[in-house]
Amino acid sequence: MTTFTGAGDQPDSGLTSLPAYKALQAHYESVRDLHLRDMFAQDPERGERFAAEAAGVYLDYSKNRITNGTIPLLIRLAEQCGLRDHIEAMFTGKEINRSERRSVLHIALRAPAGEQIVVDGEDVVPEVHKVLERMAQFSEAVRSGQWLGYTGNPIKTVINIGIGGSALGPVMAYNALKYYSHNDSHRDLAFHFVSNMDPTDFVEATRGLHPEETLFIICSKTFGTLETLTNAHAARAWCLRALGNEDALKRHFVAVSTNAEDVAKFGIDTANMFGFWDWVGGRYSIDSAIGLSTMIAVGPHRFREMLSGFHAMDEHFRHAPFEENLPVLMGLLAVWNTNFLDASMVAVLPYAEYLNRFPAYLQQLTMESNGKHVTQDGHPVDYQTGPVYWGEPGTNGQHSFYQLIHQGTHLIPCDFIGFCQSLNPLTNQHDELMANLFAQTEALAFGKTYEQVIAEDIPQWQAPHRVFEGNRPSNVILLERLTPYALGSLIALYEHSVFTQGAIWQIDSFDQWGVELGKVLASLTAPELESESEPPLNHDSSTNTLIRRYRKLSRQPRGLSEDSAAGSDSEVPS
Ligand code: G6Q
């Protein structure tokens, strides 16, 4: 698929020529026709044996299409790919993000005080804790009503402005931990999240709000991101219109960034800036100051609980033997499904309403990290890399796309995520919810044969439609309760699973050059859309035609299109 010119144009067959990879190919041939139905029938303890537990997370991976021989071979592959050394390289601050020449140290954001992690000769842990302490003081001031707006009113609404890694984590974590924002805060605060360049996002988020009671957190690692700066300027204008004074901004804007100079230029007092570091990737930043909105929502104590969950999973990932190591097992199973079973997707199905933004968060974490076509050395890969992740909370998805997972022609491995206790028990609803989770995994694995269908007196003509092939792999990730600690360990589980996959595929999981080209082309196109006079267009014929059409219709007076819409309505016979 990939054509290259230059030094890195030779496909890299490093991975596929490893003895363990070849052994896995041969192994796959011997297991490809086995059905989970038979594997469970012949091995009554399979469901207990193919499971592992750490940091409050229980992983049942028994409903994957593996035999006793599969995991040892995958572990051999991990060893031949140097996974242990890769892990150590990350934890000790080596520049493993080679294409950006950066260390990758989100694990330092949750390291307890006293631990040492040295980058460029400097221990970064004390700095991390200094920022956490400042965040805690600020959060308490906002939560308690001590932090006053310019006119002396306490803050009622917090709006996080940011995009990508500076948005998806905050939105997901706020939603995931919403329960704790109501329970132990002194006052209820409202939270909104604005990302989109579409002005509607900002306008709808601020509709009906009062600037004198609103606090904006401008989250941008670089403080140079177009969408974020555009929305931040809209927020600035919105505040200035009501408060009429540049000085007022100090009480209504704080920033989270690595770029103090541009924060100051924007007009935010750098005393109200919370820093982080270039060794924190955007999509790995929810546990840095980017999580400020989460900390304001749930309080510093709960935020620290979340960090301990992360840290517990970090420690497990670093030290546990591979055969008991949850992120390693999940990562290796993803490799097995992708490269041997030829699955190109993973569905993430949390049976928890609070995790409604978790699939979207994971999409960035997994796909921006592992959607890569060259190895760390710049050679095109000759194997598939990161699969497409998508999903929705169960049981909603069951009434929509599960049909395809059960009976469609694509093989879609699923991650089911559930909790044993509900935070909001209501009659037997939680049991019903979890019964659905367990039932779905059974239905996917074991299916329903033609004979079983016929035995239920189903007419022959209808029977084929009611057959479920089964043999569809899934993981179950089961936790006790959705606490901040549980959320931290769950996120870290996926972070390190992504790391494991990247190490096997020999790619850079921490850069994101793929988002650049579109941004550059948009910056060239914007002036053509905005220009008063007809600009010469030098795109392809499709893009030129679309731009001309857009220019024509976007300049049509608004009243006219509204009138014509009203006109067509009035033509509808009553
Ligand atoms: C994440 C990416 C990307 C980034 C956004 C926002 O890993 O780097 O999603 O987070 O582009 O960038 P800023 O935080 O610099 O505004």
Side-chain angles (χ1 to χ4, degrees):
M1 189 165 71
T2 315
T3 49
F4 285 82
T5 53
D9 59 356
Q10 285 310 308
D12 186 270
S13 35
L15 173 63
T16 48
S17 53
L18 287 174
Y21 196 94
K22 289 189 190 305
L24 276 159
Q25 281 173 323
H27 174 68
Y28 173 67
E29 290 308 317
S30 71
V31 302
R32 59 182 298 164
D33 297 326
L34 301 181
H35 199 289
L36 281 166
R37 220 179 274 142
D38 306 314
M39 294 193 235
F40 271 87
Q42 287 154 18
D43 177 3
E45 274 150 29
R46 181 183 169 95
E48 286 150 50
R49 211 177 48 257
F50 288 153
E53 189 169 5
V57 181
Y58 178 82
L59 169 70
D60 173 350
Y61 57 94
S62 62
K63 294 191 183 92
N64 280 281
R65 284 167 57 177
I66 55 173
T67 64
N68 286 339
T70 316
I71 295 289
L73 281 176
L74 284 167
I75 289 176
R76 208 192 305 162
L77 180 68
E79 281 159 359
Q80 288 176 10
C81 290
L83 178 60
R84 187 58 77 193
D85 291 345
H86 282 289
I87 296 173
E88 268 322 283
M90 171 168 73
F91 276 84
T92 51
K94 304 280 179 319
E95 278 187 4
I96 58 168
N97 176 356
R98 281 167 49 190
S99 83
E100 293 182 340
R101 302 217 160 131
R102 283 184 182 157
S103 309
V104 174
L105 271 176
H106 40 277
I107 48 104
L109 299 168
R110 50 264 192 157
E115 209 165 273
Q116 266 203 345
I117 300 174
V118 178
V119 185
D120 294 335
E122 208 185 308
D123 180 7
V124 297
V125 180
E127 268 308 299
V128 166
H129 282 267
K130 246 191 244 166
V131 175
L132 276 173
E133 197 40 51
R134 287 189 53 231
M135 287 167 64
Q137 282 167 11
F138 179 73
S139 302
E140 282 302 13
V142 175
R143 283 160 63 77
S144 64
Q146 280 166 11
W147 177 274
L148 300 177
Y150 185 63
T151 58
N153 289 2
I155 297 301
K156 285 195 175 152
T157 305
V158 176
I159 302 187
N160 189 91
I161 296 185
I163 197 163
S166 299
L168 287 159
V171 183
M172 178 278 290
Y174 170 69
N175 280 294
L177 300 179
K178 210 185 242 171
Y179 173 82
Y180 302 94
S181 78
H182 295 301
N183 265 17
D184 76 346
S185 87
H186 313 277
R187 311 154 46 250
D188 271 352
L189 287 161
F191 290 80
H192 297 284
F193 299 86
V194 173
S195 294
N196 204 325
M197 181 61 112
D198 183 343
T200 299
D201 203 6
F202 178 79
V203 170
E204 286 297 342
T206 50
R207 197 183 287 289
L209 297 183
H210 303 293
E212 59 273 21
E213 297 170 342
T214 304
L215 175 75
F216 289 97
I217 306 177
I218 313 298
C219 279
S220 178
K221 181 174 168 182
T222 53
F223 223 77
T225 304
L226 187 63
E227 290 89 338
T228 300
L229 291 185
T230 307
N231 281 318
H233 279 287
R236 198 174 190 278
W238 185 74
C239 279
L240 284 177
R241 262 199 309 278
L243 303 170
N245 189 335
E246 292 266 342
D247 243 20
L249 299 182
K250 286 201 180 108
R251 308 300 304 172
H252 295 274
F253 281 78
V254 300
V256 178
S257 188
T258 56
N259 182 351
E261 204 181 321
D262 286 357
V263 166
K265 270 192 214 149
F266 179 85
I268 296 178
D269 187 348
T270 47
N272 300 328
M273 170 181 146
F274 301 87
F276 62 119
W277 305 271
D278 77 351
W279 39 261
V280 183
R283 54 193 177 276
Y284 295 87
S285 66
I286 178 55
D287 44 350
S288 71
I290 291 289
L292 184 61
S293 54
T294 311
M295 193 192 268
I296 297 174
V298 303
H301 176 65
R302 300 276 192 204
F303 193 84
R304 285 182 195 276
E305 271 177 31
M306 179 179 83
L307 297 184
S308 2
F310 271 105
H311 181 66
M313 189 57 80
D314 293 344
E315 287 290 287
H316 168 76
F317 180 52
R318 187 175 186 183
H319 300 296
F322 287 167
E323 53 276 18
E324 294 163 20
N325 194 312
L326 270 69
V328 170
L329 289 167
M330 262 181 73
L332 292 177
L333 287 164
V335 169
W336 171 248
N337 288 335
T338 304
N339 300 103
F340 299 93
L341 271 71
D342 226 5
S344 56
M345 295 177 237
V346 178
V348 185
L349 309 165
Y351 278 63
E353 184 56 28
Y354 283 130
L355 291 186
N356 58 2
R357 299 299 289 157
F358 195 64
Y361 171 78
L362 272 194
Q363 280 187 329
Q364 183 189 25
L365 180 68
T366 58
M367 288 155 68
E368 201 164 50
S369 296
N370 285 342
K372 305 290 160 66
H373 66 162
V374 293
T375 61
Q376 285 267 22
D377 293 325
H379 295 284
V381 296
D382 57 1
Y383 41 85
Q384 295 292 347
T385 60
V388 176
Y389 277 73
W390 55 277
E392 273 290 316
T395 58
N396 305 9
Q398 288 177 207
H399 295 266
S400 122
F401 53 80
Y402 277 38
Q403 164 64 38
L404 186 148
I405 306 181
H406 283 288
Q407 287 188 314
T409 53
H410 296 277
L411 182 73
I412 305 181
C414 299
D415 284 354
F416 288 88
I417 304 170
F419 297 88
C420 297
Q421 295 170 19
S422 171
L423 293 172
N424 300 298
L426 207 57
T427 63
N428 60 343
Q429 266 187 246
H430 190 71
D431 292 342
E432 296 278 346
L433 172 74
M434 291 302 289
N436 272 279
L437 183 159
F438 299 133
Q440 289 297 325
T441 69
E442 276 185 293
L444 287 169
F446 308 120
K448 196 170 186 182
T449 60
Y450 183 81
E451 292 69 30
Q452 286 171 316
V453 174
I454 291 293
E456 287 176 0
D457 282 341
I458 303 296
Q460 225 171 1
W461 61 266
Q462 199 185 48
H465 300 278
R466 301 184 64 164
V467 167
F468 289 68
E469 250 175 14
N471 217 14
R472 303 189 177 211
S474 66
N475 289 315
V476 176
I477 298 164
L478 191 61
L479 301 96
E480 192 175 307
R481 207 172 55 245
L482 179 47
T483 58
Y485 181 97
L487 181 69
S489 62
L490 182 64
I491 299 172
L493 168 65
Y494 274 98
E495 285 179 348
H496 299 321
S497 162
V498 163
F499 181 97
T500 300
Q501 294 164 50
I504 303 294
W505 291 322
Q506 303 170 9
I507 55 180
D508 188 335
S509 298
F510 300 100
D511 62 10
Q512 55 283 312
W513 299 106
V515 299
E516 292 304 321
L517 178 60
K519 279 199 223 168
V520 173
L521 295 182
S523 72
L524 299 175
T525 306
E528 296 170 346
L529 303 189
E530 289 159 13
S531 152
E532 284 303 322
S533 55
E534 213 50 58
L537 296 177
N538 296 315
H539 304 266
D540 58 278
S541 62
S542 155
T543 314
N544 285 343
T545 310
L546 290 167
I547 291 175
R548 280 193 204 103
R549 186 174 176 82
Y550 172 83
R551 281 184 55 87
K552 185 165 159 232
L553 293 180
S554 65
R555 274 154 184 70
Q556 189 165 308
R558 209 172 169 187
L560 204 70
S561 51
E562 277 163 8
D563 287 352
S564 66
S568 60
D569 272 349
S570 62
E571 281 157 26
V572 177
S574 55

